[in-house]
Amino acid sequence: MTEEKKPEEKKKRKTATEAAAKIGPMVKAMIADVLQARKEGKPIAYTFICCCYDEIVRAMDIVPAWTENYAGICGAKRDAQRFLERAESEGFSRSLCTYALCGLGFDAWREQLGEMPPDAPWGGQARPDVMLGSGQILCDPRNKWYQAAQHYIPDVPVYAVGLPWPPYESDYDYREVQDYYVKYIVEELRGLVAFLERHTGRKMDWDRLSELVDLTDRTWNLIWETYELRRAIPSPMGTGDAMNTMVPIVFMMATQQAYDFFKELNEELRHKIANKEGEVPDEKYRLMWGGGLPAWFALNDFNYFNSKGAVFPVETTYRTVEAVYNFDIDLSKISDPLEHIAWRWVKFWTYWYDKARKRPGSHPDVERLIQYIEDYKIDGIVMHEAFSCRTWHVGLIWQLNRLKKIYRDIPSLILESDIVDISSYNEADTRARIDAFIDTLEAVKSKGK
Amino acid sequence: MIHIAGVDIGSAFSKAVIMAENKIIAYQVKPSGGNYRLTAEQVTKGALTKAKLSLKDIDYVVATGYGAANVPFSREAVSDISCLARGVHYLFPTARTAIDIGGQFTRVFKLDKRGRATAFLLSEKCAAGSGRFLQVIAKVLQIDLKDIGELSLKSRNRVDFNTGCAVFAESEAISRIAEGAAKEDILAGLHRALAAKVQAMVERLGIEPDCALVGGGAKDIGLVRSIEESLACRLLTPDEPQIVAALGAALIAGEKAAAIKASR
Amino acid sequence: MKSQYFAGVDIGSTMTKVVIMNRAMLASVIGPTGPEHRKLANRVMEEALAQASLPFDDITYVVATGYGRINVPFADKQITEISCHARGVSYLLPRARTVIDIGGQDCKAIKLNDNGRVVEFVMNDKCAAGTGRFLEVAAEGLGIKLEDMGRLSLEAKSKVEIGSTCTVFAAQEVVAKLSEGVPLPEIIAGLHEAIAARIHSMVGRLKIEREVALTGGGAKNIGLVKALEAKLGFPVLLPPEPLLTGAIGAALLGKDIVKQAAASGTPLPRSERRLQEVTLFTR
Amino acid sequence: MVEKGAGKGLAAAERYYQDYGCRAGELKRQGKRIMGYLCAFTPVEIIAAAGFMPLRIKGDVNEPITKADAEMETIVCPLVRSCFDVSLKGKYEFLDGIVIPHACDSITRTYDIWKYTLNFPYSHLINMPHATDKPSLDFYKAELNTFRRSLGRFAGREISDQSLTQAIRLHNQNRAKVRELYELRKMNPPLISGAEVTRLLVAAVSIPVTEATELINNVVEEVKQRGKVRAAKPARLMVVGGQVDNIDFIELIEDSGAWVVADDLCPGAREFFSDVADTPDPVDGIAERYLRKICCSRTFRERRGSYHEYLEQRFGHIGRSIRDFKVDGVVLYIYKYCDPYGFDVPAMKSYIESKGIPVLYLEDEYSMSTIGRLRTRIQAFLELLGSK
Ligand SMILES: Nc1ncnc2c1ncn2[C@@H]1O[C@H](COP(=O)(O)OP(=O)(O)O)[C@@H](O)[C@H]1O
Ligand SMILES: Nc1ncnc2c1ncn2[C@@H]1O[C@H](COP(=O)(O)OP(=O)(O)O)[C@@H](O)[C@H]1O
Ligand code: SF4
Ligand code: SF4
Ligand code: SF4
């Protein structure tokens, strides 16, 4: 397979904050670290975000290779097509998660060559020693992707950690079931530690784990507080930047670096707020990115929104932390680190349940939208339906319908394309839709006048 | 007196509307052809001639549509949705939902009592969901576009179509004709297929009465009836549905011109 | 022993092709398929018989293939285009391991083993983008002859990007480009690029093995062939008359069948050798 | 089509299939309560034990989707979309509730849409783990007990062990009957066609379990009378995939000149080939069956041994069917957007091919129009089998 024209590298997106601009090099270094680890023989684990085992991996000094991240990089560099096609020629349907397809295509290719595919973005993704999937309930690719990858790297063992959270049901409270959820997760995490010890030769340092668990709690609190600063008018930072600052949240949790990053960002935002410096000079519309992973190859669309005076003070995507002091239990009292992690996990996912219960016909996901609309003074909602991932992209229409029913009619726009498959995207069309949406915002906004 | 113009360079047809004192004094519709810039000039000139005016008499021109960038003499380009909403509102002040079936897209939108679009949906990028689909079929059936509506209403024995692709629908239509199917039955089937796509969009947006149908597709009475049937409601259709976006553009031009005048 | 003759009748969505063979090809006729050409399959057959100077009765076995294969009353057997193209290619270009057939309404990729047998195939027939129809519609829009497209595109110094994947909209887009003054060759080259990309990604669903043979009407278009070669990164093989590949394969499969039957002594049912009208196909 | 002379077995199945849910509607009018569910992972025993008739929600390949898109994205399994669309159109209005297991993303991610849009009096999501280790089994059992309590509350009475044991017994009998039926497919030519089997099994999940057992029994008796009247066809195929609740695809294959003699589908072998063991706590047996015994791509099997052995662990049941039913070729029939099966395609394909059996992989969209389009591919596959 040859690419006759070099994939057109996209112009660098302008960020509003200095902190966000630092992310690119950080990610590049992260990829380089994995490649370096491979050279030095340090154990490498393929891992997924949002699986709450960050501290475990870090405490055992295992190098995480975030496979979703690497696929996202290929997408952002507009160089994913060849890996997607490769996966398709292996027999994977193009309708499956394109992160997974990109990763599988890459793995198949790397294994066939015995070296990195030609011109692999940022040096490529190193072969792992173990793969940490997760069973239930976030998404199917979390347990199928690595299993499928074994077809190309059959010697690399996979572990699937069971990580459920209680569903939101009308006829019982999640507290009735949370104990057995926590118990299960703890046992699964224990199983993970044993698996890692068995396959990497590393031993768990339980004291270090406790420290990292504490660091993570503090980081969560700090992130939450930092993001809350974006309520300011004008808002100092938008979702475009947040698609960068998600990196320390989802790929660097349980490291001092992540904590320090948010410390800096926090200061920068405070400074901007004091000076009334907004994401755009003249803020006209405050929008919420209300669902969906971004189209990584089209982050410039955020700048296009900005050019129309629209800002994004808040997003639901990648806001995978809450302030732990807002939970209804005192996490600091839970000394067993695994139990601590399990409770934090369950409390995070059930965080909006009580609020939702108070409003008839509500649902936690919708309740969160309502809360953000009010807290961040939101005029409209933008969502992105990426065709290849069901987890974050099914239920968007329904959430908007529900919102309308139980709260109010708020302008909304659902963009359709994909996370890395650029063939699903058409810039002219997308911008035409954005233009029309801005018009509807204007219409609704001026209604009262 | 202020004269204003709206120019809509659509994917299939271009339209120009000239207004004065909130009334349409002339309009022109012509196929967009290949050269948008040229078409824009011609269609505007055509309308101006009818109005016995020339371009310099016009205070403000707003362009819209697929080829809006090709109207060098316009002061500004405005999105189709906004223009359509304004046009629909002018014609039918009670309309709260509108469907526009154009050459390239089908649009469904809601509008408020001032004629502003407050929500909208666009069809996917496939000819199977647009007016273009009917043009293609009209051509193979060798029927004039303007006759397909009436003809389709005569159908007693609809042929159901199961293809999604406009190009394949074309060859399927050919096969059906060869098998002896009547043209009206084929048209009725195609109208039904398109109406189903429109219905799905309308249901997603949620219909609020009254509902208007505009765009070239509204000239096709067969399609209008078919959509009415699937939505189970009456649709408001203007006499000249194709110029609604141009009309809206002219109305917006009027507001701008008035604003300028006021500020002087 | 009386010599044996085999006919292959390929009723495609756009073209009807008939060949008559014994050891070599005795006749080949190509005509259009379409509603106006309902009786054409028999007429093409008639013409082929005339060319070979044979009465219909002398034809030992008739195999029909293609989109309209089910409706050929005078065929002894129907076989899919996939098997026929494979057989045709393995005869004409024995080195080929992958066949890409670009027909009027579909596009397929077929993998062959060393004996020329089909081991795997993929097919697109959902959307006209990526099929011969795409080029037909575009050629019509541009007002040029299909046959000239390939040659014209080779004159291009660069190629325009066609944004629309939809055949209908692409046709519209190219007309607009033309009137904007973009040189014709560059537009056509852009079209070839677009369709080649589509085909390449479809074919990608098979692990392509060299050599690759290109058949069907699309293979007659040198511009498209070059664009596909650029995507693949190596040259492809072309049969002398790409349109006939399926019909040749059909005739050869007929021969195989007769041979096998003779070897096992089973009698072969034969249809009446009467040229009847071929009714139009529906899928 | 029902063959001439078919008695009340096949004819009844045809009726239940054509007018799907008619028996449930009838029972509803007589005061019986009906519980709808999606997917073979719903523990129907618990539903039955609570006094409800479980009804598997079925889609309709002939019905274009017009309502669903207003509430549900189009990027989910087309079968699930169709099920939802016909539900929205009032097909299952008589249901007292729905039970949805955590089977795959398409099902789980749409749970809230089902629940909030259709407003059934009862709804429940069973949170089923992917892993099968001991902690997962314990957790699953706890989830089943939560469901048992919840449904008991809705039913107005606790679900007793006896009623559970009874329901288990009836369902096991039913499954045994289906296996007896499958024996008739082992002959060459098979005594019963694939389309007939699928039609019967679809009918069977729409009526009370005892009636279903009787229905299947009638069919078995009827079919046995056939002797050797069926035509020999050159190929014996097996269809492997997700949910197939219509016969059109199977019919298409059989019209093209092959018999479908085996399957790994649901409803089909996947749903009927394993039983619930008799355990002191009946929920133990149920948990064990659904989590560990049902062979489906959604469940993560822990690897033991080499990768080769792992494929055997995951797909051994397919290999056994190939052998037992003397299968010549396998059709992998998988819906677009089906994550569990989609990711298994390369491994499954190489496993089956390693047995010397050719595979045809088809991705479909659950619509009559696309089914027609598959004809050429199936014929070509049969030619490929014939020339081997
Ligand atoms: N006289 C007519 N009768 C029926 N349909 C028509 C007629 N004129 C135009 N149409 C339909 O309207 C479509 C064009 O609509 P229009 O609103 O002008 O689109 P656009 O603005 O994209 O150019 C054509 O594709 C055709 O289907
Ligand atoms: N001389 C030619 N030059 C370029 N393209 C051609 C030529 N003749 C036929 N074609 C292309 O071949 C297609 C028909 O190919 P064919 O293999 O006969 O398809 P089918 O079997 O479906 O009829 C047409 O759509 C057209 O694009
Ligand atoms: S959540 Fe979505 S994008 Fe992420 S791995 Fe799962 S399917 Fe892919
Ligand atoms: S399916 Fe047909 S109409 Fe739709 S995009 Fe493809 S070519 Fe165009
Ligand atoms: S067929 Fe696949 S996607 Fe559809 S319900 Fe079954 S497992 Fe889920």
Side-chain angles (χ1 to χ4, degrees), chain A residues 90-97 100-101 104 134-141 143-145 147-148 150-162 164-172 176-177 180-181 183-184 187-188 361-365 385-398 401-402 405 414, chain D residues 69-77 102-106 108-113 115-117 119 122-131 133-139 142-144 146 149-151 153 297-303 307 310-311 314 335-348 350 361 363:
Chain A
E90 295 292 325
F92 295 107
S93 160
R94 199 62 172 260
S95 66
L96 302 173
C97 168
L101 294 186
L104 287 165
S134 74
Q136 113 116 341
I137 186 168
L138 252 169
C139 76
D140 288 341
N143 90 87
K144 297 306 291 184
W145 175 353
Q147 193 182 43
Q150 268 196 335
H151 206 63
Y152 310 99
I153 39 177
D155 55 314
V156 181
V158 179
Y159 187 78
V161 201
W165 64 81
Y168 178 73
E169 291 283 19
S170 22
D171 71 330
Y172 68 90
E176 282 178 35
V177 300
Y180 71 75
Y181 273 77
K183 175 168 170 282
Y184 174 47
E187 283 170 44
E188 288 290 288
S362 189
H363 178 277
D365 291 345
E385 181 190 334
F387 75 83
S388 68
C389 159
R390 272 138 291 296
T391 293
W392 306 113
H393 308 95
V394 170
L396 301 178
I397 299 172
W398 163 78
N401 291 350
R402 196 82 324 238
K405 210 170 249 153
I414 300 185
Chain D
D69 295 357
E71 294 286 344
M72 189 185 277
E73 284 76 5
T74 55
I75 57 169
V76 302
C77 167
H102 168 238
C104 61
D105 283 353
S106 285
T108 314
R109 294 292 144 206
T110 57
Y111 172 64
D112 291 325
I113 308 179
K115 174 174 167 167
Y116 283 77
T117 315
N119 274 321
Y122 179 80
S123 62
H124 191 92
L125 175 78
I126 301 173
N127 213 343
M128 188 175 183
H130 280 125
D133 54 5
K134 179 72 170 51
S136 300
L137 191 70
D138 292 344
F139 167 77
E143 265 297 290
L144 288 177
T146 299
R149 268 195 311 279
S150 155
L151 188 62
R153 274 201 296 264
S297 291
R298 59 89 43 211
T299 305
F300 184 87
R301 311 244 154 236
E302 217 175 313
R303 173 164 155 188
Y307 185 67
Y310 189 41
L311 290 182
R314 283 161 66 194
Y335 297 126
K336 202 173 172 189
Y337 303 119
C338 173
D339 303 276
Y341 282 88
F343 279 105
D344 268 357
V345 167
M348 221 183 232
S350 76
Y361 164 40
E363 185 176 274

Side-chain angles (χ1 to χ4, degrees), chain D residues 218-382:
Chain D
N218 289 345
V219 171
V220 169
E221 294 310 319
E222 261 172 46
V223 167
K224 277 184 182 161
Q225 303 305 314
R226 281 176 170 168
K228 271 199 153 232
V229 294
R230 316 223 103 208
K233 289 186 186 177
R236 298 169 59 88
L237 299 189
M238 173 172 184
V239 181
V240 175
Q243 303 192 49
V244 175
D245 63 6
N246 62 84
I247 59 165
D248 302 273
F249 177 66
I250 312 275
E251 254 180 350
L252 174 65
I253 297 178
E254 297 195 322
D255 288 348
S256 305
W259 290 116
V260 173
V261 296
D263 68 71
D264 180 25
L265 298 172
C266 69
R270 177 145 62 247
E271 189 162 354
F272 293 100
F273 272 28
S274 58
D275 285 344
V276 175
D278 189 6
T279 45
D281 179 350
V283 178
D284 279 324
I286 298 177
E288 176 79 21
R289 171 184 186 258
Y290 286 91
L291 189 61
R292 289 184 173 165
K293 289 192 195 162
I294 298 184
C295 299
C296 172
S297 291
R298 59 89 43 211
T299 305
F300 184 87
R301 311 244 154 236
E302 217 175 313
R303 173 164 155 188
R304 283 187 201 83
S306 69
Y307 185 67
H308 180 77
E309 287 161 321
Y310 189 41
L311 290 182
E312 200 59 50
Q313 273 165 255
R314 283 161 66 194
F315 308 124
H317 59 290
I318 299 177
R320 282 189 292 280
S321 282
I322 289 175
R323 192 191 59 214
D324 297 347
F325 292 87
K326 301 193 185 56
V327 167
D328 303 312
V330 172
V331 181
L332 276 184
Y333 179 66
I334 290 165
Y335 297 126
K336 202 173 172 189
Y337 303 119
C338 173
D339 303 276
Y341 282 88
F343 279 105
D344 268 357
V345 167
M348 221 183 232
K349 212 162 149 235
S350 76
Y351 170 80
I352 299 168
E353 282 168 355
S354 76
K355 309 268 165 212
I357 302 294
V359 177
L360 174 68
Y361 164 40
L362 297 175
E363 185 176 274
D364 198 19
E365 291 176 19
Y366 196 79
S367 147
M368 225 22 234
S369 66
T370 54
I371 287 177
R373 246 189 239 137
L374 302 177
R375 178 170 284 121
T376 300
R377 293 167 177 77
I378 289 170
Q379 286 173 354
F381 183 60
L382 294 176

